[in-house]
Amino acid sequence: MKAPKIAMIGAGSTVFAKNLLGDILSFEELGGADIRLFDVNQDRLNVTEQVAQRVAKAVGAAPTVSATTDRERALDGADFVINMIQVGGYKPATVTDFEVPKTYGLRQTIADTLGIGGIMRALRTVPVLLDMSRDMERLCPGTLHLNYVNPMAMNIWGLARQTPIRTVGLCHSVQHTAEELARDLGIPVEEIDYLAAGINHMAFYLKFEYEGQSLYPRLMELANSGKVPEWNRVRYEMLRRLGYFVTESSEHFSEYVPYFIKRGREDLIERFNVPLDEYPRRCESQIGGWEDLKKTLADPAADLEVKRSVEYGSLIIHSVVTGQPRVVYGNVMNSPSALQGGGAGKLIVNLPDECCVEVPCLVDRQGLQPTRIGKLPPQLAALMQTNINVQALTVEALVTGDREHIYHAAMLDPHTAAELDLDQIWALTGDLLKAHTDWLPHALLAAD
């Protein structure tokens, strides 16, 4: 069996890279893989290279590991490309996404998927992903691109409009939330049968069963009891209102809708335990985690724990290489082309043809084959459409260079519109575009 060539782009995300490397190299068939680590930060790249060697030793694998700051070298001939970059970094880009909106009274929790923060992240990320895809078209046109970068739906959609490279977006919200609900109910997650579908970070469990019986009555009973986990009040409230449980976390979901973060309504923040400014805190914690890992690597006698994560990346690679069939959740276009492994027609019939959806996908030696879901409950499709509107306009701005659509996207964002009037939305968008000048495509930098 030929050893696969795997390029890890943004490998300086050392802790995440460590988890993926442990997953990949734990498979006997992938133990001899050609691992190419790429990052623009040499210091972080050096640490990840050490991690790769230590992980390989821990699991008894013998991969070929190389590290480079030359992206073309990493991509050349790659069978799989795993993407985990963050364009603009925590500082200055993420800090800007939070601090500038605050001057207008607009508060956020994560700001990486939707909202004004998600829009800005897409504007600076999609062009870099497209540039990388152009390299793939030259250097590894048959590769499978596994994207872990947010804003997931806008990234996948933006690439699908502009490059033939096969791309699937991977998230862990479906499997993580299933585990969380299993704990709430006291049932082993491996004994629960579920089906989820929708858009990334706003997919819902259409089925959640144990021994052939729906678990929704028990979840609804818990939701009405007032005894839900304090950190998960938003999602249980949405279960009460919609009848289905959403896959993404409460802190994320609270800023995808206009109901939980409102100026002058601190009672809502307290009642639903909404963690404002959560993502900057996580970034600081992740930086600390990287420093701790760096110290651990400095001690050759220190143990480096390696355990399998719930990420789908290694499972996809293993299934494509060995032919072992599996089902994973992937983000693909709703009307998949042949390149994306789909057949004719839409995967979710009451969502637009041209949008990115999250659905179960069969994966084997033929690649990913998305599942046709059919029709979603109408209230779920309607809620998703409010987010799809923002995604569509942001992608349109990126593809056409029409700067006005950025303002339109912000205007239609549910949370932004709930907090600001039109003049404020226009002014805030202009301020953020100016603040992001170094990260945006030239076509979007025209003078106001």
Side-chain angles (χ1 to χ4, degrees), residues 127-411:
V128 175
L129 299 185
L130 180 60
D131 186 56
M132 185 191 311
S133 296
R134 297 296 186 223
D135 285 348
M136 293 184 216
E137 290 172 25
R138 291 186 296 106
L139 300 168
C140 51
T143 196
L144 179 57
H145 177 207
L146 310 179
N147 177 70
Y148 276 102
V149 179
N150 283 325
M152 181 66 70
M154 288 189 268
N155 288 343
I156 300 301
W157 193 341
L159 289 180
R161 288 277 299 268
Q162 301 174 92
T163 176
I165 291 295
R166 294 184 303 161
T167 298
V168 61
L170 301 178
C171 185
H172 45 235
S173 59
V174 172
Q175 58 270 48
H176 275 181
T177 296
E179 290 180 349
E180 291 161 2
L181 292 179
R183 285 196 298 269
D184 291 349
L185 297 173
I187 300 172
V189 68
E190 59 271 13
E191 297 180 20
I192 292 177
D193 182 23
Y194 61 81
L195 170 67
I199 61 174
N200 183 241
H201 287 190
M202 197 181 274
F204 288 81
Y205 294 101
L206 306 179
K207 179 174 75 172
F208 203 76
E209 296 179 348
Y210 174 62
E211 295 184 342
Q213 299 295 315
S214 174
L215 290 169
Y216 267 117
R218 290 183 58 182
L219 288 173
M220 192 67 76
E221 181 180 357
L222 179 57
N224 290 324
S225 72
K227 298 179 181 179
V228 304
E230 290 188 0
W231 54 270
N232 216 2
R233 293 175 184 169
V234 167
R235 288 196 289 177
Y236 272 99
E237 180 67 12
M238 294 306 296
L239 168 65
R240 292 179 63 244
R241 307 292 181 168
L242 296 172
Y244 294 87
F245 206 93
V246 72
T247 56
E248 189 45 74
S249 64
S250 282
E251 60 269 20
H252 271 276
F253 192 84
S254 63
E255 63 182 10
Y256 304 157
V257 293
Y259 314 125
F260 300 103
I261 307 173
K262 290 179 177 289
R263 193 181 318 189
R265 292 297 308 275
E266 298 306 313
D267 60 305
L268 292 174
I269 303 298
E270 182 177 354
R271 176 184 170 192
F272 293 106
N273 197 26
V274 177
L276 299 172
D277 295 325
E278 173 66 14
Y279 190 61
R281 285 192 293 272
R282 290 185 187 179
C283 288
E284 295 287 352
S285 176
Q286 289 165 357
I287 291 169
W290 183 82
E291 293 291 347
D292 290 342
L293 182 57
K294 186 177 181 180
K295 291 176 184 176
T296 298
L297 292 170
D299 179 4
D303 289 332
L304 187 66
E305 183 182 20
V306 178
K307 59 181 181 180
R308 179 164 290 282
S309 77
V310 298
E311 303 296 343
Y312 290 129
S314 69
L315 304 181
I316 292 172
I317 294 172
H318 185 262
S319 288
V320 172
V321 169
T322 67
Q324 178 178 333
R326 288 186 174 89
V327 173
V328 301
Y329 278 82
N331 290 273
V332 296
M333 296 304 288
N334 194 27
S335 295
S337 68
L339 281 172
Q340 294 167 313
K346 293 195 287 189
L347 301 174
I348 299 178
V349 298
N350 52 342
L351 291 182
D353 286 23
E354 191 178 315
C355 75
C356 177
V357 296
E358 187 167 55
V359 295
C361 302
L362 171 67
V363 57
D364 56 20
R365 206 181 301 276
Q366 306 308 312
L368 282 115
Q369 301 144 67
T371 300
R372 187 177 186 275
I373 297 298
K375 190 175 183 179
L376 294 176
Q379 71 274 27
L380 303 186
L383 187 62
M384 292 172 200
Q385 186 63 57
T386 67
N387 284 216
I388 292 170
N389 291 336
V390 180
Q391 297 165 3
L393 287 162
T394 305
V395 170
E396 194 67 19
L398 283 160
V399 173
T400 65
D402 187 342
R403 178 182 167 96
E404 285 294 304
H405 288 318
I406 304 170
Y407 293 84
H408 298 152
M411 170 184 165

Side-chain angles (χ1 to χ4, degrees), residues 46-112:
N46 291 341
V47 173
T48 303
E49 185 177 17
Q50 295 177 60
V51 165
Q53 299 292 357
R54 293 279 288 273
V55 166
K57 182 177 180 181
V59 300
T64 300
V65 178
S66 59
T68 180
T69 56
D70 182 342
R71 191 174 71 194
E72 291 193 3
R73 180 181 169 194
L75 292 174
D76 191 17
D79 301 302
F80 303 93
V81 176
I82 303 176
N83 176 28
M84 55 188 110
I85 65 173
Q86 183 179 4
V87 180
Y90 167 49
K91 294 179 180 178
T94 296
V95 171
T96 299
D97 287 343
F98 275 86
E99 295 304 316
V100 174
K102 278 184 189 177
T103 65
Y104 287 83
L106 180 61
R107 300 167 297 174
Q108 300 169 98
T109 56
I110 305 294
D112 75 346

Side-chain angles (χ1 to χ4, degrees), residues 410-433:
M411 170 184 165
L412 290 174
D413 177 67
H415 174 47
T416 303
E419 293 267 59
L420 306 181
D421 64 33
L422 285 171
D423 287 339
Q424 291 173 315
I425 292 171
W426 245 249
L428 168 59
T429 303
D431 286 350
L432 281 168
L433 289 173

